[in-house]
Amino acid sequence: MHPSSTIDRPVEPLAPSTRSWSRAFADLRVGFANRQLWAHLGWQDIKQRYRRSVLGPLWITIGMGVTALGTGLLYALILNVDVPTFLPFVTVGFIVWNFLSGCLTEGLQTFITNEGLIKHLPAPLSVYVLRTVWRQTLLLAHNLIVYVLVAAVFFTSISHEYTMSADGSGTHQPGLGWTFFLVVPGFLLVAVNGGWVAMLLGIISTRYRDIPQVINAIIQLLFYATPIVWTTDTLTKQKDLAQSVLNWNPLYHLIQVMRAPLIGQSVDALSWIVCVGMAVVGWGLALVIMKNYRARVSYWV
């Protein structure tokens, strides 16, 4: 054999490493491109949950309506606040909280519950994350029916300047106006943050199965630490201190960018800054985790 035959032979290019930024970004790009897949899977989740039910997904709306009405009236009496303005506050708070808590709790199980598909369907990890967020979006859409009904009943109370305190001494809110349309970028920010939470915690929880148990144990505490069934107007002492503490609560800002436009409240610039900052930092961390561990998820599930 001529010595040059081994030299002239073309060298096959090395396969790109599984731990690469290009693969992490390609996962997201291909995942978004497969919108028919994750949209179909998310819708099937809703249909399967209420299979053979007479009312079907309307039970989502009924459950939210009963919870918001019962809790809102109860806390309005306990806190001595104005019911026509407090009930929309509680209703939208519950709706947004359900979306956030759903992205968190179901995001922890994103890859665990999709074990069968991950092992048999060659799809990007982002497909399962988008499936989770889309499912929560569908639930949110059903729950918004409750908001429409509540807003219609109490429209005269929140369509102009108002306070939630019964004596009118609380913070004055501008009422419903053109700022209502800020709910669109508000929802997009909340959904983007829900996406990185599901991706980041989903991968970590797949490796460490104790993480979902820890998060589920503290989620109820997070609910009461966030102004959903209470407001700073109901605090008679150290109101300024409570507001300062709330400014460090990321859940408060995520809820506020959606709730405030829907009930005619003003959104602080800080809330927008915090939500955008969380989206940037959160997706940065998620991409780092994807770069290093996305290829191992199929072995961990």
Side-chain angles (χ1 to χ4, degrees):
M1 180 180 295
H2 195 277
S4 63
S5 60
T6 59
I7 299 176
D8 298 335
R9 184 181 303 166
V11 179
E12 295 183 0
L14 296 175
S17 172
T18 56
R19 293 188 176 187
S20 65
W21 291 110
S22 61
R23 293 208 172 197
F25 284 106
D27 188 295
L28 294 177
R29 184 177 64 255
V30 177
F32 275 104
N34 288 330
R35 55 185 175 274
Q36 291 185 342
L37 175 60
W38 51 260
H40 174 74
L41 291 173
W43 180 245
Q44 286 299 314
D45 290 338
I46 302 296
K47 292 177 65 176
Q48 186 67 26
R49 182 179 302 184
Y50 296 95
R51 186 181 180 185
R52 299 185 185 278
S53 172
V54 176
L55 297 179
L58 282 178
W59 280 114
I60 304 171
T61 305
I62 295 172
M64 174 56 65
V66 172
T67 301
L69 180 62
T71 306
L73 292 176
L74 175 62
Y75 276 86
L77 294 174
I78 294 175
L79 301 175
N80 189 29
V81 293
D82 187 38
V83 173
T85 56
F86 185 70
L87 197 55
F89 175 86
V90 172
T91 299
V92 181
F94 267 115
I95 292 173
V96 182
W97 170 261
N98 272 15
F99 181 85
L100 289 173
S101 62
C103 289
L104 178 59
T105 57
E106 295 189 18
L108 291 166
Q109 304 285 340
T110 292
F111 306 119
I112 298 173
T113 56
N114 286 289
E115 175 184 357
L117 287 175
I118 291 176
K119 289 184 175 180
H120 297 94
L121 180 66
L125 291 184
S126 54
V127 164
Y128 308 107
V129 171
L130 290 167
R131 175 186 186 178
T132 299
V133 176
W134 175 242
R135 181 170 63 248
Q136 295 306 314
T137 302
L138 293 175
L139 294 173
L140 176 70
H142 282 85
N143 288 332
L144 284 176
I145 298 174
V146 181
Y147 160 74
V148 173
L149 296 175
V150 171
V153 173
F154 299 109
F155 180 77
T156 56
S157 299
I158 61 176
S159 60
H160 55 79
E161 185 175 325
Y162 68 91
T163 66
M164 281 186 288
S165 300
D167 57 2
S169 61
T171 305
H172 286 263
Q173 306 296 343
L176 288 173
W178 67 269
T179 54
F180 173 87
F181 297 101
L182 290 176
V183 70
V184 176
F187 167 72
L188 292 177
L189 276 176
V190 173
V192 168
N193 278 283
W196 74 257
V197 167
M199 177 66 78
L200 178 65
L201 296 184
I203 294 176
I204 296 175
S205 298
T206 304
R207 176 63 179 86
Y208 302 102
R209 299 300 175 92
D210 292 327
I211 299 298
Q213 311 305 323
V214 174
I215 298 298
N216 288 327
I218 65 174
I219 195 166
Q220 195 65 30
L221 177 62
L222 295 174
F223 173 83
Y224 287 108
T226 307
I228 299 170
V229 296
W230 60 273
T231 174
T232 53
D233 286 344
T234 61
L235 303 177
T236 56
K237 296 181 180 180
Q238 298 181 335
K239 179 178 177 179
D240 294 336
L241 176 61
Q243 185 61 52
S244 299
V245 173
L246 280 180
N247 289 337
W248 292 93
N249 183 351
L251 293 176
Y252 164 71
H253 297 290
L254 288 171
I255 289 177
Q256 198 63 8
V257 293
M258 275 195 68
R259 177 173 58 188
L262 289 174
I263 61 174
Q265 293 186 352
S266 57
V267 186
D268 291 336
L270 178 62
S271 294
W272 294 108
I273 294 172
V274 169
C275 291
V276 172
M278 283 193 299
V280 174
V281 174
W283 271 110
L285 293 174
L287 285 169
V288 170
I289 294 296
M290 289 177 66
K291 169 182 176 292
N292 292 288
Y293 303 108
R294 57 176 298 277
R296 301 186 183 182
V297 171
S298 60
Y299 298 98
W300 290 340
V301 292

